[in-house]
């Protein structure tokens, strides 16, 4: 079964509510098997992958990012829209609002970030000047209805988790220019680029980050804010999917030309 578009649902987005005629399948890859759903939106085939599993049973540092991204490549995906629950470090970005990510800072510690592991697989130093596909980001911005509050850019710092950050870490990230903090965008976005797929991410702010919020952080707060606002996120994704075409006019598809296409 093939699909040209995919949604990767993060925390709070476990079901492809925007799709019809949903079928379940498991895609085998050399990195592991990946359960997926494929459904229809109008006349398009769209794959849905729950990043943390359908019951949020996989913590951020144990997600099999390579298997997930390879599975999407194997079924023919060209464009991925990911969701991400994030904390905010920026007073202008409030819980409940959405942000189109445009840059990241990587603070992860234990994750394999490449398909290109040397010898027969080759070596790739993939370009990250625009880590999130700028064409897809612009499309999301252009299509977003005025009823949905969307920030047009934001720098995301990816922490290792699964613990939340200390206020001292957040203070440092803020000085570095970070707007948002989460635990999953890296290496997902990097691996998608390595396989030549366009990857856009819509972040939902669920809380102010540690030390900015006076209260201790809880996963429950994150999930509750997500579920209160998920209708906006799902509506925006549906709008974008219905207007996207699968032609890649950006540079993403040629990102691995120097090393050769593995997908
Ligand atoms: N920190 C890290 N990840 C998160 C947060 C946070 O404050 N909120 C939602 N995901």
């Amino acid at each position: 079964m093939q699909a040209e578009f995919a949604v990767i649902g993060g925390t709070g987005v476990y079901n492809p509510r925007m799709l019809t005629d949903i079928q379940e399948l498991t895609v085998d890859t050399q990195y592991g098997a990946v359960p997926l759903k494929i459904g229809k939106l109008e006349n398009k085939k769209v794959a849905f992958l729950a990043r943390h599993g359908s019951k949020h049973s996989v913590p951020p540092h144990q997600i099999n990012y390579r298997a997930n991204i390879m599975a999407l490549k194997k079924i023919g995906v060209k464009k991925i829209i990911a969701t991400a629950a994030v904390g905010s470090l920026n007073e202008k970005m409030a819980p409940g609002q959405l942000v189109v990510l445009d840059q990241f800072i990587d603070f992860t510690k234990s994750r394999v970030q490449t398909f290109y592991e040397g010898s027969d697989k080759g070596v790739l130093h993939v370009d990250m000047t625009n880590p999130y596909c700028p064409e897809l980001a612009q499309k999301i911005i252009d299509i977003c209805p005025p009823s949905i509050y969307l920030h047009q850019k934001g720098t995301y710092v990816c922490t290792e988790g699964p613990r939340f950050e200390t206020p001292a870490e957040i203070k440092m990230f803020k000085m570095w220019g970070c707007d948002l903090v989460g635990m999953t965008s890296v290496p997902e976005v990097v691996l998608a680029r390595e396989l030549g797929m366009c990857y856009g991410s819509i972040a939902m702010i669920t809380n102010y980050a540690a030390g900015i919020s006076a209260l201790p952080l809880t996963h429950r707060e994150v999930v509750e804010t997500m579920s209160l606002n998920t209708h906006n996120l799902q509506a925006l994704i549906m709008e974008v999917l219905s207007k996207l075409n699968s032609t890649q006019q950006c540079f993403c598809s040629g990102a691995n030309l120097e090393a050769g296409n593995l997908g």
Side-chain angles (χ1 to χ4, degrees):
M1 218 181 307
Q2 294 283 113
E4 291 185 310
F5 306 94
V7 174
I8 301 182
T11 298
V13 184
Y14 305 114
N15 286 299
R17 271 192 245 149
M18 66 293 276
L19 305 180
T20 58
D21 302 329
I22 295 169
Q23 298 186 30
E24 299 193 13
L25 70 158
T26 301
V27 180
D28 285 318
T29 77
Q30 65 193 103
Y31 305 102
V34 179
L36 287 178
K37 293 179 179 163
I38 294 186
K40 272 183 151 173
L41 186 107
E42 294 157 12
N43 59 352
K44 295 187 175 110
K45 285 271 186 64
V46 181
F48 180 88
L49 191 159
R51 184 188 287 129
H52 297 276
S54 57
K55 298 192 174 63
H56 201 105
S57 55
V58 188
H61 64 296
Q62 282 175 10
I63 291 168
N64 195 341
Y65 294 97
R66 287 198 297 185
N68 288 351
I69 295 298
M70 186 58 90
L72 297 182
K73 181 72 181 177
K74 278 184 96 170
I75 60 164
V77 169
K78 303 263 186 300
K79 297 187 178 179
I80 301 171
I81 301 175
T83 76
V86 293
S88 171
L89 286 65
N90 181 333
E91 288 78 7
K92 295 196 184 104
M93 297 181 174
Q97 295 175 350
L98 300 177
V99 188
V100 181
L101 302 182
D102 73 322
Q103 285 290 326
F104 71 72
I105 289 182
D106 178 17
F107 217 69
T108 64
K109 298 184 171 77
S110 72
R111 305 177 188 183
V112 185
Q113 299 217 4
T114 186
F115 291 108
Y116 292 85
E117 296 191 286
S119 53
D120 59 321
K121 295 218 171 95
V123 173
L124 176 65
H125 300 287
V126 76
D127 176 59
M128 284 283 112
T129 307
N130 289 291
Y132 300 88
C133 173
E135 301 239 343
L136 191 46
Q138 194 56 49
K139 200 96 194 160
I140 297 168
I141 293 164
D142 292 344
I143 288 168
C144 185
S147 56
I148 297 177
Y149 199 108
L150 182 76
H151 295 275
Q152 301 194 353
K153 57 183 188 156
T155 297
Y156 173 111
V157 55
C158 193
T159 58
E160 181 66 10
R163 68 169 175 84
F164 287 115
E165 302 69 39
T166 64
E169 287 169 331
I170 292 297
K171 202 167 155 188
M172 174 182 76
F173 296 145
K174 209 174 145 140
M175 288 192 294
W176 286 356
C178 302
D179 301 301
L180 305 161
V181 58
M183 302 177 190
T184 54
S185 199
V186 183
E188 203 171 81
V189 60
V190 180
L191 295 170
R193 176 66 58 77
E194 280 198 348
L195 295 189
M197 292 179 280
C198 298
Y199 180 104
S201 181
I202 309 174
M204 160 72 74
I205 302 168
T206 54
N207 56 283
Y208 282 112
I212 298 176
S213 164
L215 301 169
L217 304 186
T218 63
H219 182 64
R220 177 188 291 191
E221 176 190 1
V222 170
V223 173
E224 279 175 3
T225 314
M226 272 312 283
S227 71
L228 282 176
N229 297 287
T230 192
H231 58 281
N232 276 343
L233 188 52
Q234 303 251 6
L236 178 55
I237 292 173
M238 234 175 114
E239 269 307 294
V240 174
L241 285 172
S242 77
K243 300 214 167 83
L244 265 189
N245 65 47
S246 60
T247 313
Q248 293 178 280
Q249 277 155 340
C250 48
F251 50 78
C252 300
S253 63
N256 55 17
L257 285 179
E258 278 184 329
N261 198 337
L262 289 177

